[in-house]
């Protein structure tokens, strides 16, 4: 029996190789996974043109996944340097790479990325359209926008961020709303400008079925972007954000009718207490579709440390039911991240995702933590390093400050509580003095 997409296969009772791979990774029954794919509560972004992919699932009952943003721009147009970042991101265990390229040799970067990456690949085609056509935004036609979408899909991209929910009505509401930061979504701002300058509806909303036809042909997942996501605490959970979310829920139903998988993108900046309610609202309004969040950043006053503010919000969001975290680096709001920034962002986001998976009680989520605890109880430093999310930093810390006695560290030395308890229980002398 043939099928068009993972969702179509699941609805026909077909277990695909991609479903088998994801079920094995997640320690769930493949039949249960297929039921969730059929219902839309799990997506397996997997373009049939992406030969190198090692499929991942995003959604209900699965591990929280981490995305890394990369790409070339006019100010940083070095393809090889960005591909080096890709290699490091994959080595650090990122499950997803988003190519946000907007200038220069975008197709070269994208095709090389797809060829080398086992991680799922996402793009935002409207970014590429402006640079690709080398013309003013207002002069880009609807057909030209869709030609870029088709090019990305043909190149093997697994999911597309499309800001289809930012309609003309939503833009008019935004104009009446007292937001501090207005629109902070790059794609959202471009579509807002295009609509205003042309006096027309959002082309991806008006021609949504055309978009669905493209995605269905290649089994590409739609990541419905939040053009009205809040860019500061003041703007969170306002009418603009909620209205767009309602529209995204309606579009989700239309996509599922075409067997197109969907993820919903979310905030943004938001106070800690608002996060669980926003996750619940997305799940309700968007019918349980997987939720993909940027942060949320829980304070606006930590430039240079936004990987931390985002990890705090990301842990709360994922524990409340968000499924996919976009990393944030220390360079957020300041510059294009370098390799060190990228690593800090990935590790912080992985910590948030893992902490949330423990809170959600996912199968096997605590096994590594318990193994780490046993290694600490045994004062087995090598084992601790192997189990660490980042084995490099803890090893370098220990090597930089050698203790007087091997079974301790330079903070407690001979007074180490673990060392004391082990020695007493083994009937050994404490040997506190020289």
């Amino acid at each position: 029996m043939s099928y068009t997409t993972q969702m179509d296969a699941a609805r026909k009772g077909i277990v695909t190789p991609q479903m088998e791979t994801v079920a094995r990774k997640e320690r769930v029954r493949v039949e249960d996974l297929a039921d969730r794919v059929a219902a839309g509560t799990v997506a397996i972004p997997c373009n049939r043109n992406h030969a190198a992919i090692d499929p991942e699932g995003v959604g209900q009952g699965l591990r929280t996944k981490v995305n890394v943003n990369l790409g070339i721009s006019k100010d940083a147009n070095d393809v090889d340097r960005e591909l080096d970042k890709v290699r490091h991101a994959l080595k650090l265990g990122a499950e997803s790479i988003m190519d946000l390229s907007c200038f220069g040799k975008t197709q070269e970067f994208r095709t090389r990325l797809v060829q080398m990456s086992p991680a799922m690949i996402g793009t935002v085609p409207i970014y590429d359209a402006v640079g690709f056509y080398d013309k003013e935004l207002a002069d880009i036609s609807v057909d030209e926008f869709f030609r870029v979408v088709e090019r990305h899909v043909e190149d093997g991209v697994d999911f597309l961020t499309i800001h289809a929910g930012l309609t003309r009505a939503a833009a008019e509401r935004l104009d009446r709303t007292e937001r501090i930061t207005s629109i902070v979504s790059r794609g959202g701002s471009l579509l807002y400008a295009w609509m205003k300058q042309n006096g027309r509806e959002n082309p991806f909303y008006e021609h949504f079925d055309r978009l669905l036809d493209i995605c269905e042909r290649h089994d590409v997942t739609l990541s419905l972007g939040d053009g009205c996501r809040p860019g500061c605490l003041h703007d969170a959970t306002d009418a603009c954000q909620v209205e767009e979310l309602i529209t995204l829920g309606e579009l989700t139903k239309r996509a599922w009718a075409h067997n197109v998988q969907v993820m919903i993108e979310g905030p943004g900046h938001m106070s800690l207490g608002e996060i669980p309610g926003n996750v619940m609202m997305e799940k309700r309004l968007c019918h349980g579709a997987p939720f993909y969040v940027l942060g949320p950043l829980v304070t606006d006053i930590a430039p240079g440390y936004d990987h931390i503010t985002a990890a705090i919000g990301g842990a709360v969001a994922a524990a409340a039911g968000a499924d996919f975290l976009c990393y944030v680096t220390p360079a957020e709001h300041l510059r294009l991240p370098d390799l060190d920034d990228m690593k800090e962002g990935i590790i912080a986001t992985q910590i948030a995702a893992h902490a949330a998976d423990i809170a959600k009680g996912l199968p096997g989520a605590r096994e590594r933590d318990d193994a780490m605890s046993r290694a600490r109880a045994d004062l087995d430093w090598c084992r601790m390093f192997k189990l660490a999310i980042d084995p490099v930093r803890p090893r370098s810390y220990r090597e930089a400050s050698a203790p007087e006695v091997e079974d301790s560290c330079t903070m407690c030395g001979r007074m180490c509580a673990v060392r004391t308890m082990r020695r007493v229980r083994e009937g050994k002398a404490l040997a506190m003095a020289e």
Side-chain angles (χ1 to χ4, degrees):
M1 188 182 299
S2 63
Y3 60 89
T4 55
T5 68
Q6 296 295 316
M7 175 173 273
D8 183 39
R11 288 173 169 175
K12 291 177 176 176
I14 301 170
V15 173
T16 66
Q18 293 82 7
M19 293 179 203
E20 291 176 342
T21 297
V22 171
R24 184 177 65 253
K25 288 181 179 181
E26 301 287 346
R27 303 186 188 183
V28 299
R29 294 175 66 247
V30 71
E31 295 81 6
D32 294 337
L33 176 68
D35 287 344
R36 297 172 202 170
V37 173
T41 59
V42 165
I44 302 177
C46 191
N47 187 327
R48 59 176 57 92
N49 296 329
H50 187 179
I53 194 170
D54 184 8
E56 297 284 357
V58 180
Q60 180 187 354
L62 308 185
R63 291 177 298 108
T64 307
K65 304 306 185 298
V66 172
N67 173 71
V68 172
N69 289 340
L70 295 161
I72 55 175
S73 67
K74 191 167 186 177
D75 291 320
N77 193 18
D78 189 331
V79 170
D80 290 330
R81 183 174 64 182
E82 287 303 294
L83 288 173
D84 191 38
K85 289 183 186 178
V86 172
R87 295 183 188 95
H88 280 79
L90 295 173
K91 185 177 180 180
L92 288 167
E95 290 97 356
S96 171
I97 304 288
M98 280 205 78
D99 171 17
L100 305 186
S101 296
C102 59
F103 179 83
K105 298 178 180 179
T106 57
Q107 187 175 28
E108 176 189 341
F109 179 77
R110 184 169 58 254
T111 53
R112 289 175 65 181
L113 172 61
V114 169
Q115 289 167 4
M116 70 184 286
S117 175
M120 52 186 163
I121 305 298
T123 59
V124 190
I126 194 171
Y127 293 179
D128 193 22
V130 177
F132 180 78
Y133 291 113
D134 192 23
K135 61 198 299 187
E136 293 300 323
L137 173 67
D139 296 332
I140 299 176
S141 70
V142 172
D143 286 342
E144 286 173 328
F145 279 131
F146 276 93
R147 277 200 290 273
V148 171
V149 170
E150 289 172 343
R151 183 181 292 270
H152 283 220
V153 166
E154 290 165 358
D155 286 342
V157 169
D158 303 297
F159 65 96
L160 300 171
T161 292
I162 303 289
H163 299 84
L166 181 56
T167 63
R168 288 190 72 184
E172 290 168 2
R173 179 179 292 279
L174 179 75
D175 293 339
R176 300 192 301 268
T177 300
E178 294 183 0
R179 276 191 162 196
I180 292 177
T181 55
S182 189
I183 292 178
V184 298
S185 159
R186 194 192 324 178
S189 67
L190 291 172
L191 282 168
Y192 174 92
W194 188 91
M195 288 189 287
K196 288 291 184 180
Q197 292 175 337
N198 287 285
R200 296 181 61 183
E201 181 58 270
N202 180 338
F204 297 112
Y205 178 78
E206 184 177 6
H207 304 281
F208 193 64
D209 286 341
R210 181 176 177 179
L211 179 65
L212 296 178
D213 288 341
I214 295 170
C215 292
E216 187 176 16
R217 284 200 305 273
H218 297 271
D219 194 3
V220 170
T221 298
L222 269 182
S223 189
L224 292 174
D226 51 339
C228 291
R229 72 171 181 263
C232 64
L233 301 187
H234 175 275
D235 297 345
T237 324
D238 67 356
C240 297
Q241 180 194 340
V242 175
E243 180 182 32
E244 183 180 30
L245 194 60
I246 292 170
T247 301
L248 296 184
E250 295 168 351
L251 295 176
T252 296
K253 285 286 194 179
R254 289 175 59 184
W256 287 347
H258 282 251
N259 293 311
V260 173
Q261 300 181 104
V262 172
M263 300 185 291
I264 305 295
E265 298 188 12
H269 293 236
M270 183 169 290
S271 68
L272 205 61
E274 292 181 68
I275 294 172
N278 269 258
V279 175
M280 181 179 67
M281 182 169 58
E282 181 276 338
K283 291 291 184 177
R284 183 63 179 267
L285 295 177
C286 297
H287 322 292
F291 198 21
Y292 174 24
V293 296
L294 178 72
L297 281 70
V298 296
T299 178
D300 296 331
I301 62 169
Y305 299 91
D306 278 330
H307 60 310
I308 297 174
T309 63
I312 294 169
V316 174
D323 308 287
F324 197 10
L325 302 181
C326 185
Y327 92 147
V328 173
T329 78
E332 185 77 8
H333 304 114
L334 302 171
R335 69 171 190 195
L336 185 76
D338 62 18
L339 272 174
D340 289 337
D341 298 327
M342 186 188 74
K343 179 179 178 180
E344 292 290 325
I346 292 173
I347 297 298
T349 311
Q350 287 176 329
I351 292 169
H354 181 65
D357 290 347
I358 293 171
K360 287 189 281 195
L362 295 184
R366 271 187 50 176
E367 286 182 3
R368 192 167 164 190
D369 296 78
D370 292 342
M372 176 67 85
S373 298
R374 285 189 286 271
R376 283 182 172 145
D378 293 338
L379 295 171
D380 186 342
W381 304 99
C382 289
R383 180 73 176 148
M384 289 184 231
F385 301 149
K386 289 179 181 178
L387 289 165
I389 285 180
D390 172 20
V392 175
R393 180 171 291 180
R395 186 184 297 276
S396 68
Y397 279 177
R398 181 157 177 82
E399 291 175 349
S401 184
E404 178 188 11
V405 288
E406 181 61 26
D407 57 347
S408 69
C409 74
T410 54
M411 175 173 279
C412 299
R414 294 172 185 267
M415 295 177 67
C416 169
V418 177
R419 178 178 184 271
T420 296
M421 295 304 295
R422 282 174 56 85
R423 284 180 170 268
V424 170
R425 288 178 171 176
E426 292 170 1
K428 297 178 179 178
L430 291 181
M432 292 286 187
E434 291 288 341

